[in-house]
Amino acid sequence: MPSRPFSLLSLACLLALPGTAMAVERVDLDYHVRLIPQDDQAEVTLTLEDGDAVRSLDFNLGDEGDYSDFQADGDWSQTGSRGIWKPADGKAQLSYRVKIGNQRDSGRYDARMTDTWALFRGDDLVPAARLDQKDEVRLVSRLTFDLPEGWRSVETGWPRIGKNRFRIDNAERLFDRPTGWMLAGKLGSRRDKLGETDVTVSAPVGQGVHRMDIMTLVTFVWPELQNVFPRDPDKLLIVSAGEPMWRGGLSGPNSLYMHADRPLVSENGTSSLVHELVHVFSRIRDTDRSDWITEGLAEYYAIELLRRAGGLSESRYQKVREELAEWSRDVDSLRTTRSSGEVTARAVLLLQELDKEIRKESKGRHSLDDVARGLMRLDEVSTDDLVEITEALLGEPSDVLDTRLLR
């Protein structure tokens, strides 16, 4: 069920209750990362200003053996893929090493460190953890990098607060860890301010990345993107590199990665760059075999935002629809945990028809944009959620959604 808004009246009543105002103790949590290219590793140190504020951090270390050499102030125990740190009182540290490079079965890399640069996800620097902290405590997190000699800079999707230093603040999580794409080394970057967001396009020097082309397309679609997904992150980082990196695109918190050879707009009229931007801003996560929603909406808006911005003529738009129909002609169901290209194409066609239905039945007062904004407010979305939000807008069942494709 969609989450109910918390009314101002309810908030006022809560604040009026005696004893609801609580003093919050702010405790520093500093992440220090030293990149070691010769070992393809990083040394990571977590420093808690007051270890007594945290009862435990229960880390998910995975099954690949990427984390090693743990040293802790307090108690450290590891069983299988879980590692539990119970910090000592006073200033407490946990340090370890983590492997940076990750080679896919195709032989290409989605994380890599060379002698002159490193491209990776912060999610892997500090693994996900369950935080058990004392009441009335708020951790204030910062990330600092120690770069190898000759490396000029580092970029992350978090606001910069000093040289190679960033503020980590994720209101959606109790445990603020440095997630998203990161890039360090000898870099070339282009920067601009779009709305309230500092946008950076960065790539290692000599990788053939057209940074200004990327920035221009982002600027072109930005107003339309903001109209649909009204978020204003402090920072957006777009990173790119060439061979032998993975030849695709992938989003992360406040950031995305695109291979240097990916066209900004494909011959079929869609844009992988805009597709990943939609993922970054919508943050829609699916459940119950509903990946068609996540991928379908991203591809729908990869086409639609270009169209609204004036980048697709009506004749080209109809040509795109014909190609989508031909590609997805054999699809008989959209329900899957991982949407294929054909399923995503068929999902786009269904969403285009749904948009027409909503606009017609509401006499132009509503559109698919309203459904998307409703979905982005949920922790996870299912096919039932999309149907429910649509029917709430229409005031009656949707003919478009009454299809065997969704069963």
Side-chain angles (χ1 to χ4, degrees):
M1 293 289 291
S3 57
R4 298 181 182 275
F6 193 73
S7 70
L8 292 177
L9 178 60
S10 299
L11 178 60
C13 292
L14 177 62
L15 292 178
L17 293 175
T20 55
M22 296 184 294
V24 176
E25 180 187 1
R26 295 164 65 90
V27 176
D28 288 341
L29 171 59
D30 286 290
Y31 302 98
H32 185 274
V33 177
R34 184 170 70 93
L35 297 175
I36 312 171
Q38 62 270 25
D39 295 338
D40 191 23
Q41 287 185 324
E43 183 181 82
V44 181
T45 301
L46 282 64
T47 303
L48 268 169
E49 175 192 14
D50 180 9
D52 186 55
V54 173
R55 298 185 185 94
S56 68
L57 273 166
D58 183 354
F59 294 96
N60 180 4
L61 304 178
D63 301 318
E64 304 300 321
D66 290 339
Y67 303 92
S68 62
D69 300 333
F70 287 92
Q71 298 182 32
D73 294 328
D75 181 59
W76 170 260
S77 60
Q78 186 172 344
T79 304
S81 63
R82 309 300 307 191
I84 300 177
W85 179 36
K86 297 180 180 179
D89 293 344
K91 186 175 181 180
Q93 290 187 331
L94 170 70
S95 64
Y96 55 87
R97 285 199 171 201
V98 56
K99 183 177 181 294
I100 293 295
N102 186 63
Q103 190 172 22
R104 294 190 169 206
D105 292 340
S106 64
R108 298 185 177 277
Y109 293 82
D110 57 17
R112 189 165 188 249
M113 183 148 60
T114 73
D115 292 339
T116 56
W117 56 269
L119 195 164
F120 52 91
R121 278 169 286 194
D123 309 56
D124 298 324
L125 285 180
V126 181
R130 294 193 290 262
L131 170 64
D132 181 8
Q133 66 181 31
K134 290 187 175 179
D135 295 338
E136 304 173 24
V137 166
R138 182 190 174 194
L139 298 182
V140 180
S141 302
R142 292 173 291 259
L143 169 67
T144 303
F145 281 90
D146 181 6
L147 300 181
E149 184 177 356
W151 290 31
R152 295 197 296 261
S153 61
V154 58
E155 295 288 350
T156 79
W158 300 98
R160 187 183 296 275
I161 57 173
K163 183 175 176 58
N164 303 335
R165 200 163 189 243
F166 305 87
R167 172 75 171 95
I168 311 299
D169 185 10
N170 187 343
E172 298 176 0
R173 296 179 182 271
L174 180 62
F175 177 46
D176 282 334
R177 65 189 182 104
T179 55
W181 287 98
M182 300 181 179
L183 182 65
K186 298 178 180 179
L187 311 179
S189 300
R190 295 291 180 267
R191 309 178 197 280
D192 205 346
K193 181 100 171 179
L194 300 180
E196 300 299 318
T197 303
D198 291 320
V199 180
T200 299
V201 180
S202 190
V205 172
Q207 291 289 301
V209 176
H210 300 283
R211 301 173 187 83
M212 277 305 301
D213 292 0
I214 295 172
M215 184 67 81
T216 299
L217 180 56
V218 174
T219 304
F220 181 66
V221 302
W222 191 266
E224 303 299 338
L225 181 70
Q226 286 284 285
N227 283 340
V228 182
F229 304 106
R231 293 193 195 275
D232 294 294
D234 292 328
K235 176 88 172 282
L236 171 67
L237 173 66
I238 301 173
V239 299
S240 184
E243 304 302 329
M245 296 299 293
W246 179 61
R247 298 179 64 85
L250 194 61
S251 62
N254 303 334
S255 60
L256 66 89
Y257 157 81
M258 290 290 300
H259 190 275
D261 291 344
R262 294 289 296 179
L264 297 184
V265 181
S266 302
E267 289 296 320
N268 63 4
T270 67
S271 170
S272 296
L273 176 61
V274 180
H275 181 110
E276 298 305 329
L277 278 173
V278 172
H279 281 314
V280 172
F281 278 80
S282 71
R283 303 182 194 171
I284 292 174
R285 296 186 303 165
D286 56 85
T287 186
D288 189 28
R289 298 185 300 120
S290 297
D291 194 45
W292 72 272
I293 298 176
T294 306
E295 292 303 320
L297 280 173
E299 192 69 356
Y300 168 85
Y301 283 109
I303 300 167
E304 184 65 19
L305 296 182
L306 286 176
R307 182 192 189 196
R308 294 180 189 180
L312 278 181
S313 66
E314 186 60 29
S315 61
R316 171 52 56 187
Y317 175 73
Q318 294 303 328
K319 181 66 174 176
V320 170
R321 282 178 51 83
E322 292 171 7
E323 292 177 355
L324 291 173
E326 174 63 23
W327 189 16
S328 63
R329 66 183 185 277
D330 295 329
V331 173
D332 56 14
S333 175
L334 299 181
R335 303 299 298 276
T336 177
T337 56
R338 193 172 187 85
S339 185
S340 65
E342 294 86 349
V343 168
T344 298
R346 186 64 185 87
V348 172
L349 294 173
L350 181 141
L351 293 171
Q352 289 173 342
E353 293 304 313
L354 182 59
D355 180 63
K356 290 180 183 178
E357 180 184 37
I358 295 173
R359 290 177 185 273
K360 178 182 177 181
E361 296 301 322
S362 69
K363 295 181 172 54
R365 294 191 303 273
H366 298 294
S367 70
L368 187 66
D369 295 356
D370 297 292
V371 177
R373 284 190 285 267
L375 293 172
M376 69 185 283
R377 287 168 171 80
L378 303 180
D379 293 333
E380 292 183 325
V381 305
S382 68
T383 299
D384 287 343
D385 292 324
L386 183 140
V387 171
E388 183 176 341
I389 293 173
T390 301
E391 290 182 350
L393 288 174
L394 294 176
E396 60 185 13
S398 163
D399 291 336
V400 172
L401 297 180
D402 183 17
T403 169
R404 62 184 178 86
L405 289 169
L406 301 185
R407 300 189 183 111

